[in-house]
Amino acid sequence: MPELPEVETIRRDLNKELKGRKILKLKFYDWAKMLKPDPETVKKAIEGKKIKEFDRRAKLLLMHLGDHGTTIVFHLKLTGQLLLKKNTDPKDRFNHVIIQLDNGDELHFNDLRKFGYIKVIKDKEELKKLLSDFGPEPLTKEFTVEVFKKILKKTSRNIKTVIMDQAKISGVGNIYADEALWRAKIHPEKTAEKLTEKEIQDLFDALLFVLKQGIEDRGTSVDSYLDVYADEGKHKKNLKVFRLDKEPCPRCKTIIKKIRVGGRGTHYCPACQVK
DNA sequence: CGATTCCCCTGATAGC
DNA sequence: TGCTATCAGGGGAATC
C-alpha cells in the first residue's frame, strides 16, 4: 500500500522522466469513477498541457500543469500503480487510465481494487484548501519533536490511530506506523497523551528513521506496490513486524502478535511494546 | 470531540 | 472441482 515513501519514490522518478513533457491524450477504459469530478473534465484539463512538476503532499501525488494553476491529484490508495510505459506496450489486466505523452511514453494507472483516483484541482485556491486539511510533513523542518508532542498531548485516542491520522501527521500508513511503534517500543493501543517524554522522542526518531529508510529502499512491496519502472521496493527485507505475526520478534524472539486497532490489522511484539 | 460502522472493490484463502 | 464466506485496507460519510 503506497504510503509516504512509496509516493515519494514515484514522485522523484516521474520528475526525472516526465518533467516538461506535453500530454497528448488521456484514455480511460472501464472505470470512469476514478476520474473526478468526471472523465470529460479531466480530459479537458490535461490534454494539450505541459507537465510542470510532480509534487507530493501526504500520500497524494500532485502533477502541476504549466497553465498557471491546474493541478492533477493522484491517490493510489491500497493497490494503485503508476507505471511508465511505451505506446507500443500492451495495457495490464488492471489498467484503467492511460496518459499519452508527446515522446511516445505513457503513464498507466492500474488499480486492482479500484479505490484510487485522479482528480482535477482547477486553481491554487482549491489546491490550498485541499492541502490545508493535512497535518505536518514528517520529513520537513516544520515537524519538530515539540510539534509532535503538542499533537499527542491533546488527544485521548490510541497512539497508532493518531500517527495514521492524516489531519495530524501526513503520509504515515499501516506499514510505517507498525514499524515505528516497534522501533520505539510503544504499544499501539497506548493512549497518545500518556506517552512519556522519552517515548515521544523515541517515536519521533523512529518515525523519521523508518520513513527515510523506506525512501532509501524505494518503498515496500507488500500487496501490489511497484515503482514507475514496475520494479519492487526493497524495504520488505527491513520490516520488523508488519505482516510478520507468528514470527519471532527480531529484538527479543517473542512471537509477534496481530490485533486490530482502529479497524486496521496491527502487528507488534507483546514483550517489547508495553502500554 | 471521539468511537464505531458501513461503504467502496476484488484477489486470495479457507472450509466444505 | 467449485461453491461460498471471510478478509485485507485508505479514507469519507453517517450515526450515536
Side-chain angles (χ1 to χ4, degrees):
Chain A
M1 55 207 80
E3 303 179 24
L4 188 157
E6 289 74 30
V7 180
E8 180 62 19
T9 301
I10 291 169
R11 181 192 77 81
R12 292 178 184 185
D13 288 338
L14 288 182
N15 257 342
K16 201 162 63 189
E17 302 287 347
L18 298 184
K19 199 191 256 189
R21 290 253 77 87
K22 188 178 163 188
I23 295 165
L24 298 183
K25 198 170 167 61
L26 177 138
K27 298 171 87 170
F28 66 100
Y29 299 90
D30 56 342
W31 198 244
K33 272 168 81 177
M34 79 180 303
L35 298 166
K36 296 167 185 283
D38 55 78
E40 283 316 304
T41 306
V42 182
K43 274 178 82 74
K44 209 175 160 198
I46 82 169
E47 288 185 350
K49 304 283 177 60
K50 211 170 191 179
I51 297 172
K52 195 168 156 195
E53 189 168 38
F54 288 92
D55 204 351
R56 182 189 58 74
R57 182 79 168 94
K59 301 172 195 172
L60 299 178
L61 179 72
L62 312 173
M63 181 171 74
H64 299 305
L65 299 179
D67 70 342
H68 313 294
T70 308
T71 296
I72 307 298
V73 171
F74 298 81
H75 199 312
L76 302 176
K77 291 289 182 85
L78 305 176
T79 54
Q81 300 173 331
L82 277 172
L83 303 182
L84 204 52
K85 305 258 189 180
K86 295 287 176 196
N87 58 11
T88 48
D89 292 334
K91 67 189 202 79
D92 300 311
R93 182 175 170 202
F94 302 115
N95 175 261
H96 307 299
V97 172
I98 293 176
I99 294 172
Q100 299 182 318
L101 288 313
D102 59 352
N103 63 343
D105 281 356
E106 292 184 342
L107 191 58
H108 288 215
F109 197 129
N110 299 348
D111 193 356
L112 185 153
R113 288 188 193 155
K114 299 180 177 172
F115 284 0
Y117 62 81
I118 298 174
K119 185 178 182 182
V120 174
I121 306 297
K122 62 183 183 304
D123 55 38
K124 291 294 171 211
E125 202 177 327
E126 193 181 341
L127 182 65
K128 196 177 167 188
K129 188 182 175 307
L130 173 75
L131 302 188
S132 68
D133 293 336
F134 291 99
E137 279 293 327
L139 298 182
T140 62
K141 62 179 188 313
E142 64 172 327
F143 189 63
T144 61
V145 71
E146 286 74 27
V147 167
F148 188 42
K149 183 178 168 184
K150 269 186 193 162
I151 292 165
L152 301 189
K153 283 299 174 191
K154 60 183 178 195
T155 178
S156 58
R157 299 158 81 195
N158 66 65
I159 185 63
K160 176 167 176 180
T161 304
V162 176
I163 60 175
M164 284 180 64
D165 183 342
Q166 301 302 299
K168 298 291 181 288
I169 300 161
S170 290
V172 179
N174 212 22
I175 301 173
Y176 296 94
D178 279 4
E179 291 297 308
L181 287 164
W182 176 84
R183 200 173 166 78
K185 301 185 183 175
I186 296 166
H187 193 290
E189 286 178 308
K190 179 154 182 167
T191 302
E193 61 189 352
K194 289 184 179 167
L195 262 65
T196 63
E197 293 287 319
K198 182 177 185 310
E199 285 175 327
I200 293 169
Q201 182 69 56
D202 287 351
L203 184 54
F204 178 84
D205 293 341
L207 273 170
L208 299 199
F209 180 90
V210 298
L211 293 172
K212 283 179 186 168
Q213 194 183 49
I215 293 172
E216 279 167 30
D217 289 338
R218 299 181 56 78
T220 309
S221 287
V222 293
D223 295 333
S224 51
Y225 168 74
L226 296 176
D227 68 22
V228 302
Y229 308 109
D231 290 325
E232 292 191 350
K234 298 171 189 66
H235 192 62
K236 197 173 172 182
K237 69 174 191 320
N238 282 322
L239 294 178
K240 308 299 183 189
V241 286
F242 186 76
R243 295 212 182 147
L244 293 170
D245 41 304
K246 296 177 183 155
E247 303 274 332
C249 166
R251 209 158 35 206
C252 75
K253 309 304 173 202
T254 303
I255 300 301
I256 309 271
K257 251 177 102 170
K258 182 173 180 183
I259 56 173
R260 293 193 82 76
V261 178
R264 300 291 174 244
T266 299
H267 318 74
Y268 75 106
C269 170
C272 298
Q273 293 170 260
V274 290
K275 274 191 196 173

